[in-house]
């Protein structure tokens, strides 16, 4: 067992973990943050995506010990003061989710994607950047629409702020 | 319609919890003292179990118990069953072999469960499962159904000689059909393969069994599309516990697509083990276990003859299908290639003679059962590939050939049981051709040719039978259950409303759609309506969600309950306002006396029902009504799908340029949700046509596609955005006029895509999935 300490959703947390404990297991089982999911065994489906130090990662293929000292953001930490993040709001407005199981990973991937591309996102780029996230319900149609809408809104928000 | 009523594009009430990580799925459940299960599974496709040695496993850290099939048998746990009886042509009942939740004598597919380890953690349970030594005597295996029927093949079950489960026929007599074919001006003949698929809801299956020894009571949290059916079957057939001692909860469920209808060994084992081991037991499938054990879909091999007269009218259709059932008969497996497939072989066409023969076959593969569409995609693929091929052979346009043969007057009785109640196939055909600019295709093809690309266009006209189903009718056809639905509408004393439904939402948005129905009726905001489902302790009874039945059947039950609530509320309002009951109108959240300014707010009506201080003489207090709705017929959604593709000749890669869907779903409650269902269905259909396929090694029976590294799931960049529209004719058979929309996309899309690809490459000999390798080979074979 190794003691790890990290910041999760702005709060410092510690726990004893086995060497083999995955970050997703630490998040789900030790911290009880069950919004991050496990949908495959091969790092393909993306239901486990969280942010580590501001970049999206797959928490199913990251050991908990690797995340020691880092800042982790999970889906539970995205909405602030009861207000949905613009990406969450766009998924709702555009019906970008059905069963909800892939949704947390999709949203976390989308936030990172928009952060990286800003207003330069188009449909092709969004689809290519969703390569690591599988959805079985929506056919991606409304997820793509939601991400493009959120990107446009966040970009407009930034311009207004400047 | 109001802003939140029937027909309104309302954002979903349930979204916030899923978007903020507050969804509660089975694997998220934690109960005190909970332990974890790992299954020991057969690595062989077919073998005798000689001995199971758990002594090393039992000494592993954290292990509480290692349990096996003999102990389950000793405790009287029953066999898994198929709940739909099919009789062969000779009158004999289907030949169902024994399926034990934990195999104790013979294993019949790779993944067959043999033992279970219960331990303190998932890791410890898995470590110990690897230490369970099972001594197997390997037997030869067979994975292909047509091969399994031939002489000298391995035999799976002593009950089923020659691996044949049933040999069943439907429709016009074979002699009459043959005579029509012999007299035809043209006959199109094809062999059609429908590839085996893995359903792959993103949430893997899971079960948590909790035994309360003080009450001798069990609770099962499980990933189910129909928790009441699970309780019924586990009580009545598997002998886990009587119904009053078994509570089944299906909380948030992350997709089903059919695969979560069935009752699997794992939930039975978790419940049983929770008593045996004396601790709550949770099991969550990993993805490889899901590929190995979630019921697969499709896997048909068919031959078809479609006969035409000199005017290109279809005179006869003859179909012979072999359906691979895998190693055991799953819960509804027998109904899929019979009453959900062969009964749809008339498609949208007037065909005077149809004869279909279906043989169901055991093989050493994962059990096969209903997967999105269940039989109807197989029927549509067969018909729409055949009529497209016929058009090419006859040298007529595919649209004209379909038009010429459309059914145009309703009701229409097909030769294969179904009685179509309403439809307008021409409308969907025209809408989709216009949307796709069919007329402009030759110019686009010519332009693509200049770029060295092969461009093709294909269509598919589908029909399906939904609103499953009239209980007496399916009972006469062999169903072991009735297929009605139940609902309860509880108006609280302050006027808020709870709707309890036997339907189950695992992505379909019932919490919103069903609330819209209530909002529409009483003019109350949807936020004041809560939808309760998925718990056998809360909802009286229900048959669950599959077969696109929640709208047509589930909501019809709610309508019936609303009718009763409204009638009582009007009596109360009339009494309060000293008016005649027939003059009361309930709208905009108040009861009014028509033609006057007298009103009583809705909450006042509700409160009066519960204070009971001033009710009409003899009236019981309370405002709560239940209803059961049994449909009078199937419903018949239909539509036309068009796909246009461009193919890279160098690589064989197919790009979908456009995909157009024009559907008739009857009346629609929430168009946004309906469109979402179509998008998802099309994606699964495109997955089947282009990417997905379960493959076994024919010799060893090993599953070769057991992860997302090997089984090609559709990703965002495999798919286009879709163009969807509706040309609705209301369904005359239910109070809301709903037909259903959940499966259409998966049914209509595969043939449109394959028709487009074969059009592009000029070679009709192509099977699904049309991978780049296959398409490349077909291009080169054609030249």
């Amino acid at each position: 067992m190794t003691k790890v300490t990290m910041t999760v959703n702005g709060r410092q947390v510690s726990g004893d973990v086995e060497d083999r404990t995955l970050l997703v297991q630490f998040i789900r089982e030790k911290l009880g943050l069950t919004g991050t999911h496990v949908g495959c065994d091969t790092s393909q489906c993306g239901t486990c995506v969280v942010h580590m130090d501001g970049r999206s990662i797959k928490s199913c293929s990251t050991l908990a010990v690797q995340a020691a000292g880092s800042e982790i953001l999970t889906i539970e930490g995205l909405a602030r003061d009861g207000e949905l993040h613009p990406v969450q709001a766009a998924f709702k407005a555009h019906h970008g989710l059905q069963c909800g199981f892939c949704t947390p990973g999709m949203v976390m991937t989308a936030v990172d994607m928009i952060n990286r591309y800003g207003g330069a996102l188009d449909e092709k780029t969004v689809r290519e950047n969703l390569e690591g996230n599988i959805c079985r319900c929506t056919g991606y149609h409304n997820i793509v629409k939601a991400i493009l809408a959120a990107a446009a809104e966040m970009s407009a928000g930034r311009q207004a702020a400047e | 319609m109001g802003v939140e009523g029937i027909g309104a594009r309302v954002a979903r009430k349930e979204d916030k919890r899923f978007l903020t990580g507050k969804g509660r799925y089975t694997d998220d459940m934690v109960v005190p003292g909970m332990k974890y299960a790992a299954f020991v599974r057969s690595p062989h496709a077919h073998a005798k179990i000689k001995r199971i040695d758990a002594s090393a496993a039992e000494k592993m850290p954290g292990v509480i118990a290692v349990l096996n099939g003999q102990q389950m048998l000793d405790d009287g746990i029953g066999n898994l069953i198929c709940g739909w009886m099919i009789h062969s042509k000779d009158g004999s009942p289907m030949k169902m072999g024994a399926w034990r939740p934990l195999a104790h004598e013979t294993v019949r597919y790779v993944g067959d469960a043999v033992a279970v380890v219960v331990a303190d953690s998932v890791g410890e349970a898995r470590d110990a499962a690897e230490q369970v030594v099972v001594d197997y005597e390997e037997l030869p295996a067979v994975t292909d159904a047509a091969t399994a029927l031939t002489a000298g093949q391995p035999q799976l079950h002593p009950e089923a000689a020659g691996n044949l489960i049933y040999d069943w026929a439907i429709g016009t007599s074979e002699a009459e059909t043959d005579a029509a074919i012999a007299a035809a001006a043209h006959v199109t003949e094809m062999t059609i393969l429908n590839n085996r698929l893995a359903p792959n809801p993103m949430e893997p299956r899971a079960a948590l069994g909790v035994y309360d020894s003080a009450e001798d009571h069990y609770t099962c949290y499980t990933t189910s599309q129909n928790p009441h059916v699970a309780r019924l079957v586990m009580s009545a057939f598997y002998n886990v516990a009587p119904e009053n001692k078994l509570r089944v909860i299906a909380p948030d469920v992350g997709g089903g697509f059919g695969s979560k209808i069935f009752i699997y060994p794992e939930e039975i084992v978790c419940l049983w083990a929770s008593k045996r081991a004396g601790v709550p037991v949770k099991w969550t499938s990993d993805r490889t276990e899901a590929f190995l054990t979630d019921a697969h879909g499709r896997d048909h091999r068919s031959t078809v003859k479609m006969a035409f007269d000199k005017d290109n009218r279809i005179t006869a259709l003859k179909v012979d299908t072999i359906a691979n059932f895998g190693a055991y008969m799953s819960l509804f497996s027998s109904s899929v290639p019979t009453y959900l497939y062969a009964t749809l072989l008339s498609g949208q066409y007037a065909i005077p003679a149809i004869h279909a023969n279906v043989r169901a076959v055991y093989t050493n593969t994962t059990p096969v059962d209903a997967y999105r569409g269940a039989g109807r995609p197989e029927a549509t693929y067969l018909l729409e590939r055949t009529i497209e091929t016929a058009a090419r052979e006859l040298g007529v346009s595919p649209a004209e050939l379909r038009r010429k043969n459309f059914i145009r007057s309703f009701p229409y009785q097909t030769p294969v049981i179904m009685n179509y109640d309403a439809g307008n196939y021409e409308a969907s055909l025209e809408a989709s051709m216009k949307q796709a600019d069919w007329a402009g295709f030759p110019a686009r093809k010519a332009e693509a040719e200049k770029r060295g690309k092969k461009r093709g266009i294909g269509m598919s006209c589908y029909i399906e039978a939904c609103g499953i189903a009239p209980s007496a009718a399916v009972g006469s056809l062999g169903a072991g259950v009735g297929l009605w639905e139940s609902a309860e509408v509880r108006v609280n004393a302050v006027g808020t409303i709870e709707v309890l439904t036997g339907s189950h939402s695992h992505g379909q948005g019932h919490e919103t759609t069903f609330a819209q129905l209530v909002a529409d009726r009483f003019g109350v905001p949807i936020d004041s309506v809560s939808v309760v489902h998925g718990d056998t302790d809360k909802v009286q009874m229900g048959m669950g969600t599959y077969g696109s039945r929640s709208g047509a059947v589930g909501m019809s039950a709610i309508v019936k309950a609303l009718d009763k609530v409204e009638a009582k509320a009007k009596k109360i309002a009339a009494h309060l306002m000293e008016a005649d009951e027939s003059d009361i109108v309930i709208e905009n959240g108040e009861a009014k006396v028509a033609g006057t300014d007298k009103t009583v707010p809705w909450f006042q009506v509700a409160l009066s029902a519960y204070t009971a201080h001033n009710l009409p003489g003899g009236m019981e207090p309370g405002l709560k009504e239940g209803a059961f709705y049994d449909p009078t017929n199937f419903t018949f959604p239909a539509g036309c799908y068009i796909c246009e593709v461009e193919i890279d000749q160098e690589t064989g890669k197919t790009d979908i340029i456009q995909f157009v869907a024009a559907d008739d779903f009857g009346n629609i409650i929430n168009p946004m949700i309906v469109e979402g269902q179509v998008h998802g269905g099309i994606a699964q259909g495109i997955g089947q046509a282009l990417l997905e396929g379960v493959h076994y090694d024919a010799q060893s029976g090993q599953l070769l596609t057991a992860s997302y590294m090997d089984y090609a799931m559709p990703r965002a960049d495999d798919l286009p955005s879709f163009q969807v529209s509706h040309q609705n004719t209301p369904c005359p058979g239910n109070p809301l006029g709903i037909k259903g929309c959940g499966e259409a996309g998966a049914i209509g899309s595969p043939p449109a895509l394959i028709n487009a690809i074969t059009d592009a490459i000029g070679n009709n000999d192509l099977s699904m999935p049309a991978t780049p390798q296959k398409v490349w080979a077909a291009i080169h074979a054609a030249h």
Side-chain angles (χ1 to χ4, degrees):
Chain A
M1 288 285 192
T2 306
K3 183 171 181 176
V4 296
T5 300
M6 64 188 85
T7 305
V8 177
N9 300 335
R11 196 167 63 88
Q12 196 177 62
V13 297
S14 296
D16 292 326
V17 299
E18 288 183 73
D19 292 349
R20 65 179 173 179
T21 302
L22 300 168
L23 179 58
V24 68
Q25 292 171 317
F26 182 75
I27 291 169
R28 285 181 58 80
E29 292 160 25
K30 297 270 184 191
L31 305 181
L33 295 170
T34 54
T36 303
H37 296 148
V38 179
C40 75
D41 332 316
T42 50
S43 190
Q44 291 288 305
C45 79
T47 62
C48 66
V49 170
V50 300
H51 291 184
M52 185 159 90
D53 296 328
R55 298 291 301 269
S56 65
I57 58 148
K58 287 184 170 171
S59 62
C60 75
S61 43
T62 306
L63 295 168
V65 291
Q66 286 177 286
S70 68
E71 291 229 5
I72 301 293
L73 179 68
T74 74
I75 189 71
E76 288 90 346
L78 196 60
R80 292 286 157 86
D81 308 322
E83 284 287 306
L84 293 179
H85 183 280
V87 172
Q88 291 170 313
F91 268 65
K92 177 168 179 166
H94 294 276
H95 189 32
L97 65 153
Q98 291 182 26
C99 82
F101 196 80
C102 78
T103 307
M106 282 285 177
V107 168
M108 297 310 284
T109 296
V111 170
D112 181 54
M113 190 191 308
I114 293 168
N115 287 343
R116 283 185 287 117
Y117 285 89
L121 275 173
D122 56 20
E123 177 173 344
K124 186 166 185 293
T125 309
V126 171
R127 288 183 179 275
E128 283 171 1
N129 275 268
L130 287 177
E131 174 69 22
N133 293 73
I134 303 177
C135 170
R136 192 58 151 171
C137 292
T138 64
Y140 307 97
H141 181 107
N142 285 337
I143 291 176
V144 172
K145 262 170 77 176
I147 294 173
L148 288 171
E153 193 197 322
M154 287 165 72
S155 170
R158 271 194 300 274
Q159 281 169 7
E162 279 162 10
Chain B
M1 82 182 182
V3 289
E4 295 183 329
I6 292 173
R9 195 175 274 275
V10 179
R12 298 200 317 172
K13 282 158 63 79
E14 50 269 75
D15 281 356
K16 189 172 182 184
R17 73 172 184 272
F18 296 126
L19 283 163
T20 54
K22 303 292 186 197
R24 283 292 170 265
Y25 301 88
T26 299
D27 187 54
D28 302 337
M29 297 297 163
V30 174
V31 299
M34 186 175 81
K35 306 297 180 187
Y36 300 86
F39 283 84
V40 178
R41 298 187 182 279
S42 171
H44 304 297
H46 199 189
K48 291 257 182 238
I49 299 169
K50 307 296 285 183
R51 191 174 62 98
I52 300 174
D53 180 358
S55 55
E58 282 165 346
K59 296 189 191 88
M60 294 284 287
V63 171
I64 292 157
V66 183
L67 304 172
N68 63 47
Q70 185 60 51
Q71 293 166 319
M72 250 186 141
L73 197 66
D74 295 344
D75 286 352
I77 302 296
N79 291 343
L80 280 83
I81 52 114
C82 175
W84 195 304
M85 173 53 69
I86 298 291
H87 287 87
S88 288
K89 286 181 288 190
D90 65 7
S92 64
M94 65 189 188
K95 310 293 191 294
M96 182 160 52
W99 183 6
R100 296 298 305 164
L102 293 176
H104 65 289
E105 291 174 332
T106 306
V107 288
R108 295 183 177 84
Y109 73 101
V110 175
D112 215 347
V114 173
V116 64
V117 176
V118 179
D120 286 336
S121 71
V122 175
E124 286 167 328
R126 290 184 170 201
D127 289 345
E130 288 183 6
Q131 298 303 317
V132 176
V133 179
V134 186
D135 191 3
Y136 292 103
E137 178 191 327
E138 276 190 72
L139 300 170
V142 60
T143 60
D144 176 68
T147 308
L149 284 175
T150 59
Q153 291 299 318
Q155 300 293 298
L156 270 82
H157 294 275
E159 297 86 351
N163 298 315
L164 182 66
I165 297 168
Y166 55 71
D167 183 358
W168 172 93
I170 193 172
T172 316
S173 77
E174 187 169 17
E176 197 180 323
T177 309
D178 284 342
I181 291 169
H186 177 84
V187 179
T188 293
E189 293 189 47
M190 295 185 80
T191 297
I192 304 271
L193 305 180
N194 206 289
N195 44 329
R196 180 185 279 237
L197 304 174
N200 276 304
M202 292 317 295
E203 180 207 19
R205 285 192 297 117
L208 166 57
V210 184
Y211 177 67
D212 177 342
S213 59
E215 302 290 338
D216 193 27
H217 179 277
Y218 295 83
T219 302
C220 180
Y221 296 87
T222 183
T223 49
S224 175
Q225 299 177 216
N226 43 343
H228 290 85
V229 175
R231 182 176 71 158
L232 169 67
V233 172
M234 286 197 283
S235 290
F237 297 98
Y238 305 157
N239 205 23
V240 175
E243 272 182 294
N244 64 321
K245 294 288 187 184
L246 174 59
R247 176 184 187 183
V248 178
I249 301 169
D252 286 329
V253 173
F257 315 114
S259 69
K260 292 171 180 170
I261 299 170
F262 325 118
I263 320 305
Y264 291 88
E266 291 83 2
E267 48 262 36
I268 307 167
V269 170
C270 284
L271 280 169
W272 168 73
S274 71
K275 182 177 184 182
R276 263 268 181 177
V279 289
V281 176
K282 180 157 85 180
W283 167 78
T284 303
S285 173
D286 65 29
R287 186 56 61 183
T288 290
E289 276 184 301
F291 276 108
L292 285 171
T293 67
D294 290 7
H296 291 167
R298 321 283 193 254
D299 203 346
H300 283 195
R301 169 185 287 271
S302 302
T303 57
V304 52
K305 289 180 187 175
M306 187 181 274
F308 294 85
D309 67 14
K310 59 180 177 15
D311 294 328
N312 294 338
R313 288 188 194 280
I314 307 171
T315 54
L317 181 79
K318 187 175 183 186
V319 177
D320 183 40
T321 294
I322 297 173
N324 191 336
F325 272 34
Y328 301 103
M329 292 187 76
S330 177
L331 190 63
F332 290 116
S333 56
S334 57
S335 64
V336 176
T338 48
Y339 295 110
L340 294 174
Y341 163 72
T343 54
L344 274 303
L345 284 172
S346 196
Q348 298 186 352
Y349 312 114
I351 306 177
I354 300 175
H355 179 84
N357 196 97
V358 179
R359 284 171 289 170
V361 184
Y362 280 123
T363 63
N364 296 108
T365 61
T366 301
V368 177
D369 207 323
Y371 165 61
R372 200 171 195 168
R376 291 150 289 175
E378 295 91 317
T380 300
Y381 185 69
L382 178 133
L383 272 177
E384 291 303 298
R385 284 289 292 132
T386 307
I387 198 165
E388 187 81 16
T389 301
R392 290 173 192 171
E393 290 173 354
L394 293 164
V396 297
S397 99
E400 280 317 305
L401 189 61
R402 286 174 169 89
R403 265 196 193 107
K404 175 161 269 186
N405 287 284
F406 276 157
I407 294 162
R408 290 176 188 277
S409 69
F410 298 89
Y412 176 83
Q413 178 64 52
T414 73
V416 281
I417 295 183
M418 290 300 177
N419 191 290
Y420 299 169
D421 55 4
N424 183 352
Y425 310 138
E426 182 86 28
S428 293
L429 181 80
E430 293 211 344
S432 61
M433 288 178 76
K434 190 170 173 213
Q435 179 71 43
D437 184 21
W438 186 279
F441 174 73
R444 298 195 293 276
K445 186 178 174 73
E447 185 278 327
E449 252 169 40
K450 286 186 196 149
R451 290 182 283 110
K453 299 288 174 100
K454 288 185 172 292
R455 199 157 172 133
I457 195 164
M459 66 165 56
S460 153
C461 295
Y462 77 90
I463 190 164
E464 54 169 331
C466 295
I468 293 172
S471 297
V474 295
S476 74
L477 300 177
V481 290
L483 289 169
W484 43 262
E485 196 47 88
S486 93
E488 198 178 317
V489 174
R490 295 180 184 167
V491 182
N492 296 318
V494 289
T496 58
I497 299 171
E498 276 140 33
V499 176
L500 294 87
T501 170
S503 298
H504 185 277
S505 184
H506 30 281
Q508 294 88 342
H510 294 170
E511 288 169 47
T512 305
T513 308
F514 292 7
Q516 286 180 254
L517 199 56
V518 179
D520 197 83
R521 180 66 71 101
F522 299 130
V524 297
I526 61 169
D527 279 345
S528 71
V529 183
S530 297
V531 175
V532 178
H533 66 96
D535 185 339
T536 59
D537 264 14
K538 293 181 180 168
V539 178
Q540 53 186 358
M541 184 55 181
M543 295 312 296
T545 289
Y546 41 83
S548 307
R549 68 192 301 276
S550 298
V553 189
M555 278 202 277
S556 293
I558 297 172
V559 166
K560 275 188 76 176
L562 285 171
D563 289 345
K564 295 181 191 177
V565 167
E566 184 178 352
K568 185 168 182 182
K570 281 183 173 173
K571 282 194 174 72
I572 296 169
H575 183 72
L576 292 175
M577 293 186 279
E578 296 175 339
D580 194 276
E581 189 188 322
S582 61
D583 291 334
I584 304 293
V585 182
I586 300 176
E587 59 187 15
N588 299 324
E590 54 189 15
K592 302 172 186 169
V593 181
T596 74
D597 57 0
K598 280 197 204 171
T599 66
V600 180
W602 171 250
F603 83 86
Q604 192 72 51
V605 176
L607 191 63
S608 299
Y610 287 94
T611 59
H613 295 162
N614 181 22
L615 289 176
M619 179 182 275
E620 283 181 22
L623 194 52
K624 168 182 99 75
E625 300 287 348
F628 285 72
Y629 173 79
D630 199 357
T632 53
N633 190 1
F634 291 85
T635 65
F636 298 96
C640 180
Y641 289 5
I642 291 175
C643 181
E644 188 166 333
V645 300
E646 211 169 87
I647 291 163
D648 185 324
Q649 304 190 58
E650 305 299 321
T651 63
K653 183 174 187 301
T654 299
D655 283 328
I656 300 171
I657 305 300
Q658 62 166 344
F659 198 102
V660 173
D663 296 290
D664 174 359
F665 293 140
N667 292 334
I668 287 174
I669 308 296
N670 186 325
M672 179 192 81
I673 287 175
V674 168
E675 287 161 16
Q677 290 291 310
V678 177
H679 298 155
I682 293 172
Q684 284 176 315
I686 290 175
Q688 166 163 33
L690 273 192
L691 301 159
E692 298 178 42
V694 170
H695 293 285
Y696 286 92
D697 180 84
Q699 289 299 312
S700 67
Q702 292 294 327
L703 178 61
L704 302 177
T705 47
S707 83
Y708 288 153
M709 310 289 276
D710 308 295
Y711 184 94
M713 289 282 279
R715 314 254 176 160
D717 59 354
D718 293 317
L719 301 170
S721 286
F722 312 114
Q723 302 169 63
V724 303
S725 68
H726 310 297
Q727 299 73 40
N728 294 325
T729 58
C731 176
N734 59 61
L736 292 164
I738 290 175
K739 295 185 178 179
C741 65
E743 298 160 292
I747 292 168
S749 53
L753 191 52
I754 299 298
N755 286 341
I757 297 173
T758 52
D759 176 58
I761 65 177
N763 182 351
N764 203 35
D765 184 14
L766 184 70
S767 65
M768 300 189 290
T771 58
Q773 183 189 14
K774 275 196 211 166
V775 173
W776 185 89
I779 291 169
H780 287 262
H783 293 102

